[in-house]
């Protein structure tokens, strides 16, 4: 049975598994595409560890942000009253929280907070901490009379016609314009409804954790005006004194996580970026609050502390680091798989999961690790690890295994002296050794991510449509340490050489691929490489460049990461070395292009924004090359992964139709 393009609308995506206070239950979020409404539905589900049963807990379809309360109930935010929706649409800011018991019954409204809450944590049954956005140009409605509220809402409506920019970055992918915005920490009393700001209006909070006694908060934040730095600071807040003090350097360090091992010890993860820049892998540090002593626990640790295994079959998010029972649990990407590990206060690291694939979220439930995994060609399911034995719990996506799937065949290629890269080839599902087939080279984004052997819908669909699909992890990819991932100042050189050497090896090993009918595609960094490739070689019969980069000079001053990412990755800026930025820009070579090229961009992609595609599209048209640009309104950089279902269908249709036109 063939895999269809629209089959992804039937997939189930899972996120954020979190254990109950007793460890007997694990809540997780189940997301399903809703094609009719062109959105996604999210529900809370429960897994009971003692019986291995799982069941749906909520039904409204918008329940994704939740926490466990100490009493064993779940607290989640939602908008269930149509009048509340009208008020929010009119510009009011509040969040409604509901409480639901596992013992049965409907969810009941618990309380309301007059802010749009980003994250909430329980201090006591009557007190909570939360973070919310703040902008000094927006007057709070709290404490205003009805007339004053109406006047402020009217002013906000009128101000929607304007944007005032005073900082960089002035916009952010998925968030829109952000000049002046900060995330602040607040205290909320359920008894009185009182809200108190605990941090000032210049500190932008990125991460925060409570200690076990709920008397202290460790905060990772950035304090700035005018230009946001790439570094940040570490702070300690006493909830008893409402005092905040810095814990670490604020001018040359980038913290990624911090939490309490105990009341006197903080463990944090970060990098000084001294050797490999922004993409330098983090190390682990211990901070003694009594003495202020900072100790690097892992001076020789070089693995990546994140899950960078790519797939287009995820939705929602899950924390990658959690402190449980005196250990910091974290995810690493090693080679082409991701694993759960833990580290103690002395720096001893133990790998917990060992099977290849991807771990997309996890938590400790009693003495078991419960995690979301992608194993083999299975989509996400909930798994349980007891000892070294993995057991699959859920079967949401088991039906996909009845489809005709192409199993990736691993290939290792030597691309330069001492350099081996790993890649894979997927045969057409109806492969006939007597036939010739078109092929597609697919290039991942990042560049510091990896392809693995997990399920990828678009590539499985192309294999079902009669294509060979091949992909690899060139230099610049994650999973093999800092040196391998470091291509700063080398974009379009050694990575291009790796991709071309890999393509040569694939065509030699798989003679059933018609070398005259090979296409190339990729998104983000993969879009940059697609643009670069068509300006360097005519070997590809067609190209599909997605959310791409074409001009490092224009990107420097216009995208949400341009002013720091370009400087770091290309090792130049427009004033000190514009020639280097231009040399690495695919637009410089656009007059050479002969390859028919499709461009896919999203109007609200502020990471690799639409102007990058428009420049390359215009250049090809100017020089008489067949080109097409499809722009998606209401989408951002995540179109291929979490875009609206109908838009994701159209995107894949556009790419497939383009390749069918030129490769078949």
């Amino acid at each position: 049975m063939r895999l269809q393009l629209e089959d992804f609308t039937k997939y189930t995506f899972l996120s954020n598994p979190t254990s109950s206070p007793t460890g007997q239950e694990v809540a997780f979020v189940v997301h399903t595409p809703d094609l009719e409404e062109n959105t996604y539905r999210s529900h809370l589900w429960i897994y009971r560890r003692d019986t291995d049963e799982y069941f749906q807990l909520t039904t409204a379809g918008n329940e994704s942000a939740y926490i466990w309360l100490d009493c064993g109930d779940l607290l989640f935010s939602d908008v269930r009253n149509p009048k509340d929706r009208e008020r929010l649409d009119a510009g009011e800011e509040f969040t409604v929280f509901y409480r639901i018991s596992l013992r049965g019954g409907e969810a009941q409204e618990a309380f309301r907070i007059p802010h749009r809450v980003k994250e909430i944590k329980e201090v006591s049954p009557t007190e909570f901490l939360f973070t919310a956005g703040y902008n000094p140009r927006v007057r709070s409605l709290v404490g205003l009379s009805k007339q004053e509220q109406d006047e402020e809402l009217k002013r906000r409506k009128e101000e929607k016609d304007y944007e005032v920019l005073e900082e960089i970055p002035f916009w952010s992918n998925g968030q829109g314009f952000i000049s002046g915005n900060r995330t602040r920490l607040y205290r909320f009393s359920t008894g009185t409804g009182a809200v108190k700001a605990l941090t000032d209006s210049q500190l932008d909070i990125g991460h925060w954790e409570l200690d076990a006694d709920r008397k202290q908060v460790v905060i990772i934040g950035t304090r700035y005006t005018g230009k946001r730095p790439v570094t940040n600071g570490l702070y300690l807040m006493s909830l008893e004194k409402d005092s905040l003090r810095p814990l670490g350097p604020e001018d040359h360090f980038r913290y990624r996580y911090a939490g309490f091992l105990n009341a006197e010890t903080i463990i944090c993860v970060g990098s000084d970026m001294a050797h490999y820049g922004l993409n330098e892998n983090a190390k682990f540090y211990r901070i003694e609050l009594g003495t202020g002593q900072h100790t690097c626990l892992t001076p020789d640790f070089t693995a990546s502390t994140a899950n960078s295994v790519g797939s287009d079959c995820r939705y929602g998010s899950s924390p990658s680091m959690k402190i449980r029972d005196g250990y910091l649990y974290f995810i690493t990407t090693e080679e082409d798989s991701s694993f759960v590990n833990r580290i103690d206060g002395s720096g001893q690291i133990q790998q917990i999961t060992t099977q290849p694939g991807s771990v997309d979220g996890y938590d400790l439930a009693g003495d078991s690790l419960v995690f979301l995994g992608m194993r083999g060609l299975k989509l996400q399911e909930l798994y349980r690890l007891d000892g070294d034995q993995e057991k699959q719990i859920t079967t949401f996506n088991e039906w996909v295994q009845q489809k005709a799937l192409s199993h990736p065949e691993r290939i290792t290629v030597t691309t330069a002296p001492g350099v081996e890269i790993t890649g894979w080839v997927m045969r057409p599902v109806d492969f006939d050794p007597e036939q010739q087939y078109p092929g597609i080279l697919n290039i991942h984004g990042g560049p510091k991510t990896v392809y693995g052997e997990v399920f990828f819908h678009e590539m499985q669909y192309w294999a079902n449509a009669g294509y060979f699909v091949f992909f690899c992890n060139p230099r610049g990819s994650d999973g093999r340490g800092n040196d391998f991932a470091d291509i700063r100042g080398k974009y379009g050189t050694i990575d291009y050489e790796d991709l071309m050497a890999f393509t040569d090896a694939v065509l030699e090993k798989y003679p059933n691929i018609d070398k005259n009918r090979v296409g190339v595609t990729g998104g983000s960094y993969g879009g940059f490489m697609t643009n670069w490739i068509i300006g360097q070689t005519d070997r590809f019969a067609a190209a599909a460049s997605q959310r791409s980069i074409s001009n490092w000079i224009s990107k420097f001053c216009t995208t949400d990461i341009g002013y720091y990412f370009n400087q770091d990755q290309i090792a130049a800026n427009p004033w000190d070395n514009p020639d280097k930025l231009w040399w690495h820009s695919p637009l410089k070579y656009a007059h050479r292009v002969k390859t028919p090229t499709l461009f896919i961009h999203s109007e609200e992609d502020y990471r690799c924004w639409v102007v990058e595609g428009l420049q390359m599209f215009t250049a090809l048209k100017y020089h008489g090359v067949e080109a097409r640009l499809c722009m998606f309104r209401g989408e951002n950089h995540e179109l291929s992964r979490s875009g609206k279902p109908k838009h994701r269908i159209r995107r894949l249709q556009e790419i497939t139709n383009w390749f069918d036109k030129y490769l078949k």
Side-chain angles (χ1 to χ4, degrees), residues 55 120 166 233 250 270 313 365 367 400 506 538 597 608 649-650:
F55 59 89
I120 190 167
E166 298 178 315
E250 300 180 49
C313 292
D367 55 0
V400 181
V506 168
D538 297 338
T597 303
C608 300
I649 290 174
R650 176 65 180 268

Side-chain angles (χ1 to χ4, degrees), residues 647-658:
H647 294 175
R648 292 178 66 180
I649 290 174
R650 176 65 180 268
R651 167 197 165 270
L652 193 47
Q653 283 176 334
E654 287 280 345
I655 299 171
T656 305
N657 291 344
W658 190 258

Side-chain angles (χ1 to χ4, degrees), residues 138-188:
V138 180
R139 186 184 182 191
S140 173
L141 299 178
V142 178
L144 299 184
S145 67
K146 179 65 167 59
Q147 180 180 348
E148 290 172 326
Q149 289 183 0
D150 290 343
E151 291 174 353
E152 172 61 17
L153 291 174
K154 181 181 178 181
R155 188 194 69 82
R156 292 184 189 181
K157 185 176 181 180
E158 292 173 348
E159 285 294 315
K160 286 185 177 181
D161 289 341
Y162 315 98
E163 290 293 344
V164 178
L165 308 181
E166 298 178 315
E167 296 179 338
I168 58 173
F170 46 82
W171 57 17
S172 177
N173 185 68
Q175 299 181 51
F177 284 89
I178 61 168
S179 180
N181 289 0
R182 299 293 187 272
T183 296
R184 299 177 70 178
L185 182 67
Y186 298 84
R187 187 198 305 262
F188 172 71

Side-chain angles (χ1 to χ4, degrees), residues 102 112 175 302 308 314 323 327 348 389 391 540-541 550 561 619 639 658 660:
L102 270 60
R112 297 176 174 225
Q175 299 181 51
T302 61
S308 57
R314 300 186 178 106
I323 291 179
Y327 293 92
Q348 295 297 310
Q389 297 298 311
K391 176 182 178 181
F540 295 96
S550 65
I561 63 172
L639 169 64
W658 190 258
D660 286 349

Side-chain angles (χ1 to χ4, degrees), residues 12 36 41 207 212 234 317 379 397 408 433 457 570 586:
T12 298
E36 183 176 349
R41 299 300 179 193
H207 178 82
L234 193 66
S317 61
L379 279 81
N397 294 300
H457 175 73
I570 308 302

